[in-house]
Every structure is written in structure tokens, then in C-alpha cells.
Amino acid sequence: MKALLQRELIATLRTPGSVTNPLGFLLLSLLLFAVVDPSAKDAQNGYLSGIFWVLILLTNMLSLDAMFRRDYDSGALEQMLISAHMPFVAVLMRIFVHWLGSGLLMTLFVPLFGLLLGLDGEVVLPIMLVMVVGTPALSLLGSIGAALTVGFSRGGAILALLILPLFLPVLIFGSACISTAASGLSFAAPMTWLALVSSSSLLLAPWATWAALKISVEMQ
Amino acid sequence: MVAAGDCVELVGPNGSGKSTLLRTLAGLHSQYRGDFNRVESVYQGHRFGLDELLSPLENLAWFAGLQGQQLDRHHALEALERLGLLAEAHTACHRLSAGQQRRAAIARWLLAAPSLWLLDEPFNALDVQSQTLLNELLQEHCKAGGAVVCATHLKLQVEGKVTLGLEPPVEFSL
């Protein structure tokens, strides 16, 4: 497991653009949004939380296409499918490292996003908590689409069509969490649903991703 | 039947199904009908199967990890030395030439546990010296009780090899 994790981390560190480019996209998008809509600091506005989560989804999607692409092109994916002693772990490590470079990193930047949008300091921590719980589902569910479309040379649009409907529960419960927290109310209920989405994705998505990878490699 | 010590050379024109047969044996195709018992194997396709961002040594560690093993660093360095890659052991694979990448891929077979090697055009990108070395390695592997099924347009220099000619369309019976 250590070797698998090490490989994923090394590969990510040697391609910093795969992490920084989507983050730059998110920062710029939020900046534009803050400039265009000065009322954005009203976090109780469901509009803001919705926009915020949509941008998170889109940012996540930017990095999904590359999730298995390099391995597919180099033949390393074939080796992974043939040799993996624990397929679940092999796929999970890839997804985990993707989350580190997307979901977790975006979460760490939430205070900066809060400054850009002029959010109250009290809202920042709940948003970070919501993102820690919700963004793993994005990487997990996204990996299924990435695996299914890895064989397509321009699979970006198909990936979006496949994945965006799956992201819908995360979007709904995630934005509900933020708007409820901003109102000073307990956001335990939408948070529980969000956690349920993430944990069920954790149980199912790696297997589905593995099956999708096999289909993609078979179709080669 | 491919038994321990066997070396099967698959020959045939393009499109005769050599690669498909090897991919099927490796378990990468499931839609083909056939009657064979698949065993764990090392498969080397047309592509090197290396993560180009990683060095040969890091790739070997990753492959060992995939198989649930820990890399024996000493053996890994020995394998790389034998293949003339010791100096490049820590160089990212995308900086290596095609021939060097092919040799790094060969190092993976030497360390892998499965004794059946399924090789698809393994001589591609190799210079004459490396081709000779590869023939020696195949010979050693078979003598040590391993088995090789190799699709190639070059003649294998392995004693006791069996040549299986494929013509399209093809039905396999192994």
C-alpha cells in the first residue's frame, strides 16, 4: 500500500500543473464572481452557495480527465489491471491522491476564497467542514466517469455528461449545508446526507472504477 | 499446453491475432471464446507499461507494490545493472530513450513473481546488443523453469523453442 501511495504522490508532485491549474481556475472564477456580484458576501443567499459548489464541481472536473490518461497512454494501466494484488486499494490510492490535490487543496484555500468574496469569518469554518465531507464524493464518483472515458481521445464532454448528474446530490446537500450554516442554524441534516453520499461512494466507486477501467482497456 | 521450461514463439503476418492472443491470455480480453486455464503472468505489450514520470527504480517499486510485495532494492539494482541501466536508475523514464525504456520494462519481468512471460514484440526499440541480452534472458528463464510465449517478427534465439504460426482468421487452441 505504501508503494502504491508513494507512486501516486511522486507522480502528482512531478506534474504540479495538474493541481495548480484547476486551483487557478477556481480562484479566477471566484474573483470574477466577486467583482461582478458585490452582494456575494451575503452567504445566506442560496445563490452564493450554489455558485460556490458549481465552481467546485467544475474545478474538480478539470482534473478528472487526466486521472487515468497517462497510465492508459503508457500501458501502465494494463499492468495495473493484470498485476494488482488488491485492485480496490490500487484504485483507491489513485482516487485518494486526486482528492488530496483537488478537494483537500480547495478546502485549504477556503479562507482565501472567503476573503475574495468578503464572507464572514464565522462561515469559513463550516464551509471547510462541508468541503472535507463532500469533496471525496466528487473524486470517487468522478473516477468512474474518468475510467469509462479514458479510451476516448476527446472524452471531456462525455465525461461531463456522465458525471454531472452523479454530482447532483453533492451539489444539493453541499449548498444546503453552506446556506443553512450561514443562517446560523444547525446544518447537521444536510451534512449527514452529504456524509452518506461520500461514504456510499467510498464503498462502491472504486469497484465501479475498476470495472470501467477493464472495459476501457478491453476496447483498446 | 504451455509447460514450465517451454518457449513458444508466435509468428504470423500483421493482423493474424498474435497480440490478441497474448492479451487474451493475460486476461485483458474477456469477449473471446476459448478453452484455457489462465495463470498469473507477466505481460509486456507494445507499449512499455512504465509510468514515465517515475524512474526505473521507482517503477519497479510500484510494480512490486501492485503485486503486494516490497521491492528488494538490491535485486532491483542488480537487474538494472544487468540491463545496463544502473546509471539511469534514478532518471525519470520520459528522459530515457525508447531502448532504455524497453530495458527498464524488461527489468520488471526479472523481478516479477509469475513465471509465465507473455511478450508482444519485445525486441522493438532494442539495439543488437540488447537483443542478444534479451535472448539470453529468455533462455535463462526457461531453463530456470519459467515459460515464455512471445510474439515476434524476429527469430528467437532460444534452444528448444516451439514455433506457432498464426494465419488470419485464427482459432486458438492452447
Side-chain angles (χ1 to χ4, degrees):
Chain A
M1 192 184 287
K2 187 185 159 196
L4 299 180
L5 182 62
Q6 204 169 13
R7 180 254 179 169
E8 302 300 342
L9 288 171
I10 290 171
T12 304
L13 289 173
R14 288 181 187 166
T15 49
S18 65
V19 172
T20 55
N21 292 348
L23 193 66
F25 166 80
L26 180 63
L27 275 169
L28 276 175
S29 307
L30 285 170
L31 190 63
L32 290 175
F33 182 63
V35 168
V36 169
D37 185 1
S39 68
K41 62 182 177 183
D42 180 10
Q44 292 180 39
N45 186 353
Y47 181 59
L48 169 68
S49 52
I51 287 286
F52 185 75
W53 268 102
V54 167
L55 289 177
I56 296 286
L57 300 190
L58 293 176
T59 304
N60 201 276
M61 283 203 50
L62 283 180
S63 56
L64 278 177
D65 190 47
M67 201 177 206
F68 299 107
R69 177 80 56 199
R70 200 183 67 251
D71 283 353
Y72 182 84
D73 291 340
S74 69
L77 191 56
E78 288 175 349
Q79 299 302 330
M80 197 166 113
L81 290 173
I82 295 169
S83 312
H85 185 59
M86 292 184 289
F88 184 87
V89 176
V91 171
L92 197 60
M93 285 301 136
R94 173 64 52 91
I95 298 169
F96 175 64
V97 172
H98 177 267
W99 177 74
L100 288 181
S102 60
L104 185 66
L105 197 64
M106 286 189 280
T107 305
L108 295 175
F109 273 80
V110 164
L112 180 61
F113 302 156
L115 277 176
L116 285 176
L117 294 170
L119 295 176
D120 289 338
E122 296 163 0
V123 190
V124 169
L125 201 61
I127 292 179
M128 290 180 81
L129 190 62
V130 170
M131 284 187 62
V132 166
V133 174
T135 50
L138 302 182
S139 293
L140 285 159
L141 295 171
S143 71
I144 303 172
L148 276 172
T149 56
V150 70
F152 304 150
S153 55
R154 284 183 173 81
I158 302 167
L159 178 65
L161 288 173
L162 279 171
I163 290 305
L164 284 176
L166 294 177
F167 283 173
L168 213 56
V170 182
L171 181 66
I172 292 167
F173 297 123
S175 57
C177 281
I178 294 178
S179 52
T180 314
S183 310
L185 302 171
S186 165
F187 56 101
M191 186 70 142
T192 308
W193 283 106
L194 195 60
L196 190 67
V197 172
S198 281
S199 49
S200 50
S201 303
L202 180 63
L203 284 176
L204 298 173
W207 296 112
T209 302
W210 185 258
L213 287 173
K214 287 191 94 165
I215 292 168
S216 292
V217 168
E218 268 194 27
M219 287 168 66
Q220 248 178 340
Chain B
M1 177 77 180
V2 180
D6 283 354
C7 178
V8 179
E9 178 186 59
L10 296 176
V11 294
N14 294 335
S16 58
K18 302 185 295 294
S19 299
T20 307
L21 173 58
L22 288 172
R23 287 175 67 83
T24 306
L25 290 173
L28 290 170
H29 281 310
S30 60
Q31 72 268 42
Y32 293 95
R33 286 176 298 148
D35 189 15
F36 59 88
N37 293 321
R38 200 173 78 76
V39 295
E40 274 194 40
S41 56
V42 169
Y43 168 75
Q44 179 66 60
H46 288 186
R47 290 168 299 175
F48 304 124
L50 301 167
D51 186 333
E52 294 179 352
L53 293 173
L54 269 57
S55 69
L57 199 59
E58 288 164 343
N59 265 292
L60 293 177
W62 175 55
F63 287 120
L66 274 178
Q67 293 172 331
Q69 297 161 359
Q70 195 158 8
L71 180 71
D72 184 333
R73 199 179 161 85
H74 179 67
H75 280 150
L77 289 171
E78 268 183 3
L80 290 174
E81 185 176 18
R82 176 143 196 216
L83 290 156
L85 279 177
L86 197 56
E88 289 81 17
H90 298 283
T91 306
C93 284
H94 68 87
R95 296 189 188 281
L96 303 179
S97 71
Q100 287 172 323
Q101 288 188 46
R102 174 69 72 181
R103 281 186 273 149
I106 293 171
R108 184 169 52 82
W109 321 339
L110 299 179
L111 298 180
S115 54
L116 173 61
W117 290 358
L118 304 170
L119 313 176
D120 198 355
E121 303 290 357
F123 294 98
N124 284 358
L126 291 180
D127 56 27
V128 176
Q129 196 182 354
S130 301
Q131 287 179 12
T132 307
L133 175 62
L134 178 53
N135 273 310
E136 286 171 16
L137 291 171
L138 296 179
Q139 183 78 69
E140 283 174 23
H141 182 64
C142 291
K143 278 188 177 165
V148 175
V149 180
C150 177
T152 178
H153 290 292
L154 297 175
K155 292 287 175 198
L156 288 182
Q157 307 296 320
V158 177
E159 289 170 24
K161 70 175 181 184
V162 176
T163 302
L164 180 64
L166 301 180
E167 293 291 337
V170 67
E171 283 187 14
F172 308 120
S173 60
L174 280 179

